[in-house]
Structures are given as C-alpha cells and as structure tokens.
Amino acid sequence: MGTAQLTAVPEPKYWHLRTVLLRAIDSEFATGEVIPNERELSARFGVARATLRQALDQLELEGRLVRRRGIGTLVAAPRVGVPVSRREEGWPGGSEQSWQTVDCSIAPATEQLAAALNVPVGETVYTVRRVRLNQGQPVATESLHVPDSALAQLPEIRLSGTAGEAADQGRAVLRRLERLTVEGESRAVELGVAEAEQAALLQRPPGTPVLVVTSQYASGGRLAALAVATYRADTCRLTFGETGLVEVTPVPSAVRTAS
Amino acid sequence: MGTAQLTAVPEPKYWHLRTVLLRAIDSEFATGEVIPNERELSARFGVARATLRQALDQLELEGRLVRRRGIGTLVAAPRVGVPVSRREEGWPGGSEQSWQTVDCSIAPATEQLAAALNVPVGETVYTVRRVRLNQGQPVATESLHVPDSALAQLPEIRLSGTAGEAADQGRAVLRRLERLTVEGESRAVELGVAEAEQAALLQRPPGTPVLVVTSQYASGGRLAALAVATYRADTCRLTFGETGLVEVTPVPSAVRTAS
DNA sequence: GAGTGGTCTAGACCACACT
DNA sequence: GTGTGGTCTAGACCACTCG
C-alpha cells in the first residue's frame, strides 16, 4: 500500500490511451497525416495491440481518425456540415447535383412498408434509391418510398431517353414529385449501422455507423412519401438550419468553462 | 477447388453472427428478456468469446441489446422518440418537467467559447447544465451558454429561495431567457462519445455513443445562446417535427422492397 | 515482398449484482 | 460465493496497398 491513492479511480487503459492519443493528434499531427502504426503504438505504450485498437476504435467513432487497410491510420478532416432540413436539399428539384439517382423499383407494399406509408398492404409503391455526393465523395444513401396513390393526381411524365432503364424510371418519379405541393414534413434521426448494400454505396465496410434520417412528407392531408436516408456518421454533421440567420459555428463539441 | 463458390465472399464471422443473433432476438425473445450469456453463446457458435462480443457490440450500437454488468444481456426496448426541434421542448419555459437544472457557472469566455458565441474573449458567460429525463430515466445532458450581454436588456430576477445556490442561479438565468424573443434557431446533429462528466449524468460508462445536438438561438440579430446537448444514442430517436401533421411511424429502419 | 490494418483465438483476471 | 459482463494479453493469420 505504499503507492496508494495513485489512480484511485482505475480508469480503463483503453480510455486513458484515447485521451493521450487525442491530445497528440490535436497538437502534433495535421489533418490527413498518418500516425504511427498499431504495432509500434502498442509497444510504445506497453499494451497489447487489442487494447490500443480499442482506443483507436473510440477515436474513429468520434470522427477523429480514419483507418485505411494497407495504408495506415490518418487524422481525419473535420466533419462536413450537411444540410438536411430545408426542402431544397432533401426534396427532389433542389440542388440536384448533390443527389444522384441509382435505380428505382416498383413493388407491392409489404406489411411493414404499408404500415409506414399508411396504405393498404399490396398497394403499388415506387422506391427510388439515391446517393448523396459531397465533393465527389458519397456521404449518404436514401430510399424514397412513394405510394402510387400519391402520384395519381399528377401528370405522367414520359422520358425522352431509353425508357425502362431503372435510373431513368427513378428520375421520372422524382420529376412528378416535384410538382407535388408539400404541406408538412417531419424528420427523425437515430444511430444505426450500414448493412452490406448501403455500406457498398457509401464505400465503407458493413457495420459502419450511420445516422439514419427518416423523413415524412405530407401532401393533401396524407403521407405522400417516406424517405429513409443513411448518412456516414464519421464524416457528416447534419444541419437543420431553418433560417440561415446565424452562421454555423465550427464544432464546439467539448466546450467547457473553467468551473 | 472442389468446394468452390461456397461463401465466395467470406463475410467476417462477427458480422454473420450479428445477423443470426438479430434474427433470434427478433423472433424468439421479448423486450427486456435476457439472452444466454456470452460464454455459452460463444461455445454454442464455436467462436471465441471476443468474436461473439464483437457481434454483440454491433447490436448494442444499433440499440437492439443492452448489456448490464453482473446481470446479463437483455433485448432492448424500441428507442423512444424525443422531440428536439420545437421551441417548447428545447427552450426554457416549455414542458419544464422534462428538463432538470443541475447547476450553473459564471466564467469569462475562453477563446473557444468566445468564438462559438461570437463575443469578445473574456466576456462573462453563464453556463447552465441541465439533464433531460424521460420516464424517470436520464436521456440527455445539456450545457446552455449565454453571454451576459444577451441578458443585459432583460429584467433581473430575484429568487425567493436560498439565493446563491448553483441550481437556483441556473433557474434564474433560464427564467430571464424565457422573456427573450427568439427569432431564429438552427441545429446540428452529429455522433460523439460521452466523456466522464456527461457519462455520469447519463448513468452510462465513458465512451458511450451519444448524439450531439448543437443549437443556436438568435435574438435581436445576434446569437443569444448556444446549447450543446448530448443524447443517449442507444435509447433515443431524435424527432424534428415542425408540424405535427403526421404521426411518427415506429421505425422503418430496414424497409425493403422485394426487388 | 514488406508493411499496414482487420479478424480471430484461448486464455486470464477484474468489477459488479444477486442469493 | 456464483455468475455475469468488462478488460487485457500475446500471439496468429488474413486482406489489402504499395514499391
């Protein structure tokens, strides 16, 4: 008991390591720089590689590190702010260049989907899949579900190009949606992980943490469309700026006052 | 090459395990039920315990499982929808019972905080810390930063009770804020991890994933307050319902059409 | 081929909750 | 005390990127 009261609260090694590494990457490394490899770091700190990796896992979840197989571990760039609230961004017709239609499928509503769209089971539902790009990199995927009955009052659109192509069909659905007057929209955000399909579109391995944004669009007193978008949690900060009155501050994630 | 094309894409074991376990908890277990312990599951599936734990980690991140030391691993309840957009919820004065003031500190703005609030370094800033409760359980913590200059035009409030108490002081600041007319607010959501202080308030271990909500409130053409709230990512689904026209659907997280 | 991160193993001990 | 999840170890091999 001679050395008592040292680290009276035995904080886990990996958590302490995270703190040490966080300070290091904040002060000694620049964005995009590679930090020493895992075997060297684990040796330097006198821990097993698995323990060191636990610390790196945390920092990666926080978006501070990026690990690339065969390359190394890099200091991540600050997260990019991605607007999701304004209709111009989330709804077809706005800054179109940020969304890119992948394909479209037509199928009768499953029980689950029918309940979410508030339509009878078996009703025809269009599903448009899109990818959102930011500076050339995919940051989100989206599945936009539109029941056929919501499009019924809208004029049909015939495409000039090769009809029948999946992506073209998706674009046709989007064009018709543009003519819809949206009276209300509500959104929900939660944490999820990307399954194989979405992970591939995001160019990330399965299990990648994502922010799942569920958007409901109301028109004519009913639910006209349901969008489920998954944003890369490591690189994205979702912004809901109703009014652009105040510029978005960088990231005061750990704002502390000396109390 | 006799057994070729079997599992041509060698999916990691832990990912496959996750899929199997997910199906199991969806079909064979009820909310709150404990699933077999890790040592038994790892034996049953013929994998090391660390590999099994990797699968459980994923499911816990998705909010499907809750692990309690000394107890076991339980099937988690569906995430609760937590409104964060409407002023009545996030701004003082609304449904007061959901937020509980912890304490308040007064300090000159640090460089970082000054930049975020757009005030000169050293200006007096009130910081009110609150905890948001949902059905008795803490779901979020918040630090609300208010520069003194934003309160200058508001009448002072003298408390009837024991003045000087930290929580009372916080409530006094909140009461004054209620009288402020807010013209604009913008929000950002990103993924983070809870540090020691916040983790304790949320009754979770450090490193717990959280959804960090940064809110800016504008008044009189300037930034009047900055709130940084951390919501438990495992139990919360943040809802941004501008208009309550459409009820929020359960969770169509993996809505798929047979394509 | 050399170096990197990703996966997996088979153990060990600890902290905690119940009985 | 017994059983649970939490941490940690010291290895091994694989998949990928590069020169």
Side-chain angles (χ1 to χ4, degrees):
Chain A
M1 306 166 179
T3 62
Q5 226 170 3
L6 274 183
T7 64
V9 183
E11 181 180 55
K13 279 188 185 177
Y14 76 89
W15 186 254
H16 180 245
L17 266 181
R18 168 199 167 272
T19 307
V20 172
L21 291 170
L22 183 55
R23 249 194 298 269
I25 65 181
D26 270 337
S27 61
E28 300 171 27
F29 293 90
T31 294
E33 204 170 342
V34 300
I35 70 175
N37 70 61
E38 298 179 352
R39 288 165 179 87
E40 180 183 335
L41 284 177
S42 59
R44 186 186 298 183
F45 289 109
V47 299
R49 193 178 151 217
T51 304
L52 175 85
R53 279 182 61 80
Q54 217 174 336
L56 296 182
D57 286 344
Q58 290 280 345
L59 292 169
E60 194 180 26
L61 196 67
E62 298 175 58
R64 303 304 304 266
L65 291 178
V66 177
R67 295 197 269 189
R68 284 205 247 248
R69 171 169 356 203
I71 305 288
T73 302
L74 302 80
V75 176
R79 289 193 175 118
V80 295
V82 184
V84 295
S85 183
R86 279 173 286 188
R87 190 169 308 158
E88 303 87 49
E89 292 291 343
W91 191 253
S95 52
E96 193 58 60
Q97 63 273 35
S98 68
W99 286 101
Q100 188 176 310
T101 301
V102 174
D103 62 13
C104 175
S105 62
I106 309 177
T110 61
E111 188 175 357
Q112 185 188 23
L113 188 53
L117 286 171
N118 200 23
V119 298
V121 174
E123 169 166 341
T124 299
V125 173
Y126 295 87
T127 297
V128 182
R129 288 203 306 171
R130 301 191 293 174
V131 174
R132 183 167 185 169
L133 303 177
N134 190 297
Q135 295 152 19
Q137 295 301 308
V139 294
T141 73
E142 183 196 62
S143 288
L144 182 65
H145 305 282
V146 185
D148 187 52
S149 53
L151 291 177
Q153 297 91 333
L154 297 173
E156 249 190 87
I157 290 191
R158 299 217 57 83
L159 290 172
S160 54
T162 59
E165 181 63 57
D168 286 337
Q169 205 164 41
R171 275 187 281 272
V173 173
L174 295 179
R175 292 229 197 123
R176 293 176 74 180
L177 275 179
E178 289 173 33
R179 283 153 177 79
L180 206 65
T181 56
V182 175
E183 298 133 16
E185 50 188 285
S186 72
R187 286 188 169 75
V189 179
E190 64 183 314
L191 179 59
V193 302
E195 311 239 351
E197 204 170 350
Q198 262 110 31
L201 289 171
L202 294 177
Q203 299 178 0
R204 298 255 44 186
T208 298
V210 291
L211 297 171
V212 181
V213 181
T214 307
S215 307
Q216 297 176 311
Y217 300 95
S219 178
R222 61 178 295 242
L223 188 56
L226 172 70
V228 181
T230 62
Y231 286 79
R232 281 181 58 160
D234 55 347
T235 58
C236 292
R237 186 178 74 250
L238 308 182
T239 63
F240 294 80
E242 326 298 347
T243 58
L245 290 184
V246 186
E247 78 285 6
V248 179
T249 51
V251 181
S253 61
V255 175
R256 301 278 292 276
T257 55
S259 69
Chain B
M1 302 153 183
T3 62
Q5 231 172 0
L6 271 183
T7 65
V9 182
E11 179 180 58
K13 277 188 186 178
Y14 77 87
W15 186 255
H16 180 246
L17 265 181
R18 168 199 166 273
T19 306
V20 173
L21 290 170
L22 183 55
R23 249 195 298 268
I25 66 180
D26 270 336
S27 61
E28 300 171 28
F29 292 91
T31 293
E33 202 171 344
V34 299
I35 70 175
N37 70 60
E38 298 181 353
R39 289 166 180 87
E40 180 184 335
L41 284 177
S42 58
R44 185 185 301 183
F45 289 108
V47 299
R49 192 177 154 219
T51 303
L52 175 84
R53 279 183 60 81
Q54 218 174 335
L56 295 182
D57 285 343
Q58 290 279 344
L59 292 168
E60 192 179 29
L61 196 67
E62 298 174 58
R64 303 303 304 269
L65 291 178
V66 177
R67 294 197 270 189
R68 283 196 238 220
R69 172 174 350 206
I71 306 289
T73 302
L74 305 88
V75 176
R79 289 195 176 116
V80 296
V82 184
V84 294
S85 185
R86 276 173 287 189
R87 190 169 307 158
E88 303 88 48
E89 292 290 342
W91 191 252
S95 53
E96 193 58 61
Q97 61 275 33
S98 67
W99 285 101
Q100 187 175 311
T101 302
V102 174
D103 62 13
C104 174
S105 62
I106 309 177
T110 61
E111 189 175 355
Q112 185 187 22
L113 188 52
L117 286 171
N118 199 23
V119 298
V121 174
E123 170 167 342
T124 299
V125 173
Y126 295 87
T127 298
V128 181
R129 288 202 305 172
R130 301 191 295 174
V131 175
R132 184 167 183 168
L133 302 178
N134 190 297
Q135 296 153 16
Q137 294 303 308
V139 295
T141 73
E142 183 196 62
S143 287
L144 181 66
H145 305 282
V146 186
D148 187 53
S149 53
L151 291 177
Q153 297 90 333
L154 296 173
E156 252 190 85
I157 291 191
R158 299 218 58 83
L159 291 171
S160 54
T162 58
E165 182 62 57
D168 286 339
Q169 205 165 40
R171 276 187 279 270
V173 173
L174 295 179
R175 292 230 195 123
R176 294 177 74 181
L177 277 179
E178 289 174 33
R179 284 155 177 77
L180 206 63
T181 56
V182 176
E183 299 132 16
E185 51 188 286
S186 71
R187 286 188 169 76
V189 179
E190 65 183 313
L191 179 59
V193 303
E195 311 239 352
E197 205 171 346
Q198 263 111 30
L201 289 171
L202 294 176
Q203 299 179 0
R204 297 254 49 190
T208 298
V210 291
L211 296 171
V212 181
V213 181
T214 307
S215 307
Q216 297 176 311
Y217 300 97
S219 177
R222 61 177 296 241
L223 187 57
L226 172 70
V228 181
T230 62
Y231 286 79
R232 281 181 57 159
D234 55 346
T235 58
C236 292
R237 185 178 76 248
L238 308 182
T239 62
F240 294 79
E242 326 297 347
T243 58
L245 290 184
V246 187
E247 79 284 5
V248 179
T249 50
V251 182
S253 62
V255 175
R256 300 276 293 276
T257 55
S259 70

